[in-house]
Amino acid sequence: MPMEIVNPKTLTDKVTSVISHVVVTTASKLAFISGQVAVDETGALVGSGDYYAQAIQVFTNLKYALEAARADPLYIAKMNIFVVNHHPALISIIFDAGFHVFGSNWPRTASTYIGVQALGDPEWLIEIDAIVIFP
């Protein structure tokens, strides 16, 4: 098995439906996916001011990047999710978008969800980067 998911009983199970506390791997090949934002293949912004629409596009772009690398989403070892002007209600909106895009292939990986003041463009609300292993 190239990746072992570890959720010890000494850490809460409240979040393990969407993330894993620890990912252990012996993979020798990795892919590092740059931060994906809510722009389509032409560079046009998708979902101005709409967190859900932007999250759909961001996760879709992440999926496209995985496909280009010939990587399975279940082998994402680490994901960072950056959200402008975070507030608690956004968590379910963003993860619902991820489940919409990935379905049963949702990567319950080691993740960090980070509220930020701004991203590289003032219209971007969400950015996600990832580290992927290859078995």
Side-chain angles (χ1 to χ4, degrees):
M1 175 182 231
M3 202 161 77
E4 178 186 1
I5 303 298
V6 180
N7 289 307
K9 292 182 192 284
T10 52
L11 295 174
T12 182
D13 64 356
K14 183 178 180 181
V15 296
T16 56
S17 66
V18 292
I19 70 152
S20 295
H21 286 291
V22 181
V23 174
V24 180
T25 182
T26 57
S28 60
K29 181 178 175 183
L30 302 171
F32 297 85
I33 298 177
S34 291
Q36 298 300 305
V37 295
V39 295
D40 65 16
E41 65 278 357
T42 70
L45 178 71
V46 173
S48 180
D50 183 334
Y51 282 92
Y52 185 76
Q54 286 204 16
I56 291 286
Q57 186 64 46
V58 171
F59 282 113
T60 298
N61 289 347
L62 178 60
K63 186 176 180 181
Y64 290 158
L66 289 164
E67 290 169 356
R70 295 179 305 283
D72 189 310
L74 296 178
Y75 290 140
I76 295 174
K78 175 76 170 119
M79 190 165 37
N80 293 308
I81 302 170
F82 302 92
V83 180
V84 172
N85 297 323
H86 165 71
H87 54 84
L90 291 174
I91 294 171
S92 63
I93 290 168
I94 291 165
F95 280 102
D96 286 350
F99 283 111
H100 175 81
V101 171
F102 286 104
S104 63
N105 285 330
W106 171 254
R108 285 186 10 212
T109 185
S111 289
T112 303
Y113 183 109
I114 306 160
V116 296
Q117 181 179 356
L119 294 168
D121 183 291
E123 292 192 282
W124 298 343
L125 299 176
I126 301 163
E127 184 168 351
I128 300 174
D129 65 26
I131 299 172
V132 184
I133 69 158
F134 291 83

Coordinates of all heavy atoms in Angstrom, one line a residue, residues 51-98:
Y51 N -18.7 31.9 -3.4 CA -17.8 30.9 -2.9 C -18.0 29.5 -3.5 O -17.1 28.7 -3.8 CB -17.8 30.8 -1.4 CG -17.1 32.0 -0.7 CD1 -17.7 33.1 -0.4 CD2 -15.7 31.8 -0.4 CE1 -17.0 34.2 0.2 CE2 -15.0 32.9 0.2 CZ -15.7 34.0 0.5 OH -15.0 35.1 1.1
Y52 N -19.3 29.1 -3.5 CA -19.6 27.7 -4.0 C -19.2 27.6 -5.5 O -18.5 26.6 -5.9 CB -21.1 27.4 -3.9 CG -21.4 26.0 -4.3 CD1 -21.0 24.9 -3.4 CD2 -22.0 25.7 -5.5 CE1 -21.3 23.6 -3.8 CE2 -22.3 24.3 -5.8 CZ -21.9 23.3 -5.0 OH -22.2 22.0 -5.3
A53 N -19.5 28.5 -6.3 CA -19.2 28.4 -7.8 C -17.7 28.5 -7.9 O -17.1 27.7 -8.7 CB -19.8 29.6 -8.5
Q54 N -17.0 29.3 -7.2 CA -15.5 29.3 -7.2 C -14.9 28.0 -6.7 O -14.0 27.5 -7.4 CB -14.9 30.5 -6.5 CG -15.1 31.8 -7.2 CD -14.1 32.9 -6.9 OE1 -13.1 32.6 -6.3 NE2 -14.5 34.1 -7.2
A55 N -15.5 27.4 -5.7 CA -14.9 26.2 -5.1 C -15.1 25.1 -6.2 O -14.2 24.2 -6.4 CB -15.6 25.8 -3.8
I56 N -16.3 25.0 -6.8 CA -16.5 24.0 -7.9 C -15.4 24.1 -9.0 O -14.8 23.2 -9.4 CB -17.9 24.2 -8.6 CG1 -19.0 23.8 -7.6 CG2 -18.0 23.4 -9.9 CD1 -19.1 22.3 -7.4
Q57 N -15.1 25.4 -9.4 CA -14.1 25.6 -10.4 C -12.7 25.2 -9.9 O -11.9 24.6 -10.6 CB -14.1 27.0 -11.0 CG -13.1 27.2 -12.1 CD -13.5 26.4 -13.4 OE1 -14.7 26.4 -13.7 NE2 -12.6 25.8 -14.0
V58 N -12.4 25.6 -8.7 CA -11.1 25.3 -8.1 C -10.9 23.8 -8.0 O -9.8 23.2 -8.4 CB -10.9 26.0 -6.7 CG1 -9.7 25.5 -6.0 CG2 -10.9 27.5 -6.9
F59 N -11.8 23.1 -7.5 CA -11.7 21.6 -7.4 C -11.7 21.0 -8.8 O -11.0 20.0 -9.0 CB -12.8 21.0 -6.5 CG -12.6 21.1 -5.1 CD1 -13.4 22.0 -4.3 CD2 -11.6 20.5 -4.4 CE1 -13.2 22.1 -2.9 CE2 -11.3 20.6 -3.1 CZ -12.2 21.4 -2.3
T60 N -12.4 21.5 -9.7 CA -12.4 21.0 -11.1 C -11.0 21.2 -11.7 O -10.4 20.3 -12.3 CB -13.5 21.7 -12.0 OG1 -14.7 21.4 -11.4 CG2 -13.4 21.3 -13.4
N61 N -10.4 22.4 -11.5 CA -9.0 22.6 -11.9 C -8.0 21.7 -11.3 O -7.1 21.2 -11.9 CB -8.6 24.1 -11.7 CG -9.4 25.0 -12.6 OD1 -10.0 24.6 -13.6 ND2 -9.3 26.3 -12.3
L62 N -8.2 21.4 -10.0 CA -7.4 20.4 -9.3 C -7.5 19.1 -9.9 O -6.5 18.4 -10.2 CB -7.7 20.4 -7.8 CG -6.9 19.4 -6.9 CD1 -5.5 19.7 -7.0 CD2 -7.5 19.4 -5.5
K63 N -8.7 18.7 -10.2 CA -9.0 17.4 -10.9 C -8.3 17.3 -12.3 O -7.7 16.3 -12.6 CB -10.5 17.2 -11.0 CG -10.9 15.8 -11.6 CD -12.4 15.7 -11.6 CE -12.8 14.3 -12.1 NZ -14.3 14.2 -12.2
Y64 N -8.4 18.4 -13.0 CA -7.7 18.5 -14.3 C -6.2 18.3 -14.2 O -5.5 17.7 -15.0 CB -8.0 19.8 -15.1 CG -9.5 19.9 -15.6 CD1 -10.0 21.2 -15.8 CD2 -10.3 18.9 -15.8 CE1 -11.3 21.4 -16.3 CE2 -11.6 19.0 -16.2 CZ -12.1 20.3 -16.5 OH -13.4 20.5 -16.9
A65 N -5.6 19.0 -13.2 CA -4.2 18.9 -12.9 C -3.8 17.5 -12.6 O -2.8 16.9 -13.1 CB -3.8 19.9 -11.8
L66 N -4.6 16.8 -11.8 CA -4.4 15.4 -11.4 C -4.4 14.5 -12.7 O -3.6 13.7 -12.9 CB -5.4 14.9 -10.4 CG -5.3 15.5 -9.0 CD1 -6.6 15.2 -8.2 CD2 -4.1 14.9 -8.3
E67 N -5.4 14.7 -13.5 CA -5.6 14.0 -14.7 C -4.4 14.2 -15.6 O -3.8 13.2 -16.2 CB -6.9 14.3 -15.5 CG -8.1 13.8 -14.8 CD -9.4 14.4 -15.3 OE1 -9.4 15.3 -16.2 OE2 -10.5 14.0 -14.8
A68 N -3.9 15.4 -15.7 CA -2.7 15.7 -16.6 C -1.5 15.0 -16.1 O -0.6 14.6 -16.9 CB -2.5 17.2 -16.6
A69 N -1.4 14.8 -14.8 CA -0.2 14.1 -14.2 C -0.5 12.6 -14.1 O 0.4 11.9 -13.6 CB 0.0 14.7 -12.8
R70 N -1.6 12.2 -14.6 CA -2.0 10.8 -14.5 C -2.0 10.3 -13.0 O -1.4 9.2 -12.7 CB -1.2 9.9 -15.4 CG -1.4 10.2 -16.9 CD -0.5 9.4 -17.8 NE 0.9 9.5 -17.6 CZ 1.7 10.5 -17.9 NH1 1.2 11.5 -18.5 NH2 3.0 10.4 -17.7
A71 N -2.6 11.1 -12.2 CA -2.6 10.8 -10.7 C -4.0 10.6 -10.2 O -4.9 11.3 -10.6 CB -1.9 12.0 -10.0
D72 N -4.2 9.7 -9.3 CA -5.4 9.4 -8.7 C -5.7 10.3 -7.6 O -4.8 10.6 -6.7 CB -5.4 7.9 -8.2 CG -6.8 7.4 -7.7 OD1 -7.4 8.1 -7.0 OD2 -7.1 6.3 -8.1
P73 N -6.9 10.9 -7.5 CA -7.2 11.9 -6.4 C -7.0 11.2 -5.0 O -6.7 11.9 -4.0 CB -8.6 12.3 -6.6 CG -9.1 11.6 -7.8 CD -8.0 10.8 -8.4
L74 N -7.2 9.9 -4.9 CA -7.1 9.2 -3.7 C -5.6 9.2 -3.2 O -5.4 8.8 -2.0 CB -7.7 7.8 -3.7 CG -9.2 7.8 -4.0 CD1 -9.7 6.4 -4.1 CD2 -10.0 8.6 -2.9
Y75 N -4.7 9.6 -4.0 CA -3.3 9.6 -3.7 C -2.8 11.0 -3.4 O -1.6 11.3 -3.4 CB -2.4 8.9 -4.7 CG -2.6 7.4 -4.7 CD1 -2.7 6.7 -5.9 CD2 -2.8 6.7 -3.5 CE1 -2.9 5.3 -5.9 CE2 -3.0 5.3 -3.5 CZ -3.1 4.7 -4.7 OH -3.3 3.3 -4.7
I76 N -3.7 12.0 -3.2 CA -3.3 13.3 -2.7 C -2.9 13.0 -1.2 O -3.6 12.6 -0.4 CB -4.4 14.3 -2.7 CG1 -4.8 14.6 -4.2 CG2 -4.0 15.6 -2.0 CD1 -6.0 15.5 -4.4
A77 N -1.6 13.4 -0.9 CA -1.1 13.2 0.4 C -1.3 14.4 1.3 O -1.5 14.3 2.5 CB 0.4 12.8 0.4
K78 N -1.3 15.6 0.7 CA -1.5 16.8 1.4 C -2.2 17.9 0.6 O -1.9 18.0 -0.6 CB -0.1 17.3 1.9 CG -0.1 18.7 2.6 CD -0.6 18.6 4.0 CE -0.3 19.9 4.7 NZ -1.5 20.5 5.2
M79 N -3.1 18.6 1.2 CA -3.9 19.6 0.5 C -3.9 20.8 1.4 O -4.2 20.7 2.6 CB -5.3 19.1 0.1 CG -6.0 20.0 -0.8 SD -7.5 19.1 -1.6 CE -8.2 18.1 -0.3
N80 N -3.7 22.0 0.8 CA -3.8 23.3 1.5 C -5.0 24.0 0.8 O -5.0 24.2 -0.4 CB -2.6 24.1 1.5 CG -1.4 23.5 2.2 OD1 -1.6 23.1 3.4 ND2 -0.3 23.3 1.6
I81 N -5.9 24.5 1.7 CA -7.1 25.2 1.2 C -7.1 26.6 1.8 O -7.1 26.8 3.0 CB -8.4 24.5 1.6 CG1 -8.4 23.0 1.0 CG2 -9.6 25.3 1.1 CD1 -9.5 22.2 1.6
F82 N -6.9 27.6 0.9 CA -6.9 29.0 1.3 C -8.2 29.7 1.0 O -8.6 29.6 -0.2 CB -5.7 29.7 0.6 CG -4.4 29.1 0.9 CD1 -3.9 28.1 0.0 CD2 -3.6 29.4 2.0 CE1 -2.7 27.5 0.2 CE2 -2.4 28.8 2.2 CZ -1.9 27.8 1.3
V83 N -8.8 30.3 2.0 CA -10.1 30.9 1.8 C -10.1 32.4 2.3 O -9.8 32.7 3.4 CB -11.2 30.1 2.5 CG1 -12.6 30.7 2.3 CG2 -11.2 28.7 2.1
V84 N -10.5 33.3 1.4 CA -10.5 34.7 1.7 C -11.7 35.0 2.6 O -12.8 34.5 2.4 CB -10.6 35.5 0.4 CG1 -10.9 37.0 0.7 CG2 -9.4 35.4 -0.5
N85 N -11.4 35.8 3.6 CA -12.5 36.2 4.6 C -13.3 35.0 5.1 O -14.5 35.1 5.2 CB -13.4 37.2 3.9 CG -12.7 38.5 3.5 OD1 -11.8 39.0 4.2 ND2 -13.1 39.1 2.4
H86 N -12.5 34.0 5.5 CA -13.2 32.8 6.1 C -14.1 33.1 7.2 O -13.9 34.0 8.0 CB -12.1 31.8 6.6 CG -12.7 30.8 7.4 ND1 -13.5 29.8 6.9 CD2 -12.7 30.6 8.8 CE1 -13.9 29.0 7.9 NE2 -13.4 29.5 9.0
H87 N -15.2 32.4 7.3 CA -16.1 32.3 8.4 C -16.7 30.9 8.4 O -16.7 30.2 7.4 CB -17.2 33.4 8.4 CG -18.0 33.4 7.1 ND1 -19.1 32.6 6.9 CD2 -17.9 34.1 6.0 CE1 -19.6 32.8 5.7 NE2 -18.9 33.7 5.2
P88 N -17.1 30.4 9.6 CA -17.4 29.0 9.7 C -18.4 28.4 8.7 O -18.3 27.3 8.3 CB -18.0 28.9 11.2 CG -17.2 30.0 11.9 CD -17.1 31.1 10.9
A89 N -19.4 29.2 8.3 CA -20.4 28.7 7.3 C -19.7 28.3 6.0 O -20.3 27.5 5.2 CB -21.5 29.8 7.1
L90 N -18.6 28.8 5.7 CA -17.9 28.5 4.4 C -17.4 27.1 4.3 O -17.2 26.5 3.3 CB -16.8 29.5 4.1 CG -17.3 30.9 3.8 CD1 -16.1 31.9 3.7 CD2 -18.1 31.0 2.5
I91 N -17.1 26.5 5.5 CA -16.5 25.2 5.5 C -17.3 24.2 4.8 O -16.9 23.5 3.9 CB -16.2 24.7 7.0 CG1 -15.1 25.6 7.6 CG2 -15.8 23.2 7.0 CD1 -14.9 25.4 9.1
S92 N -18.6 24.1 5.1 CA -19.5 23.1 4.4 C -19.7 23.5 3.0 O -19.8 22.6 2.1 CB -20.8 23.0 5.1 OG -21.5 24.2 5.1
I93 N -19.8 24.8 2.6 CA -19.9 25.2 1.2 C -18.7 24.7 0.4 O -18.9 24.1 -0.7 CB -20.0 26.7 1.2 CG1 -21.4 27.1 1.7 CG2 -19.9 27.2 -0.3 CD1 -21.5 28.6 2.0
I94 N -17.5 24.9 0.9 CA -16.3 24.5 0.2 C -16.2 23.0 0.1 O -15.9 22.4 -1.0 CB -15.1 25.2 0.8 CG1 -15.2 26.7 0.5 CG2 -13.8 24.6 0.2 CD1 -14.3 27.6 1.3
F95 N -16.4 22.3 1.2 CA -16.3 20.8 1.1 C -17.4 20.2 0.3 O -17.2 19.2 -0.4 CB -16.2 20.2 2.5 CG -14.8 20.3 3.1 CD1 -14.5 21.3 4.1 CD2 -13.7 19.5 2.7 CE1 -13.2 21.4 4.6 CE2 -12.5 19.6 3.2 CZ -12.2 20.6 4.1
D96 N -18.6 20.7 0.4 CA -19.7 20.2 -0.5 C -19.3 20.3 -2.0 O -19.6 19.4 -2.8 CB -21.0 21.0 -0.2 CG -21.7 20.6 1.1 OD1 -21.2 19.6 1.7 OD2 -22.6 21.3 1.4
A97 N -18.6 21.4 -2.3 CA -18.2 21.6 -3.7 C -17.1 20.5 -4.1 O -17.2 19.9 -5.2 CB -17.6 23.0 -3.9
G98 N -16.2 20.2 -3.1 CA -15.2 19.2 -3.4 C -15.9 17.8 -3.6 O -15.5 17.1 -4.4

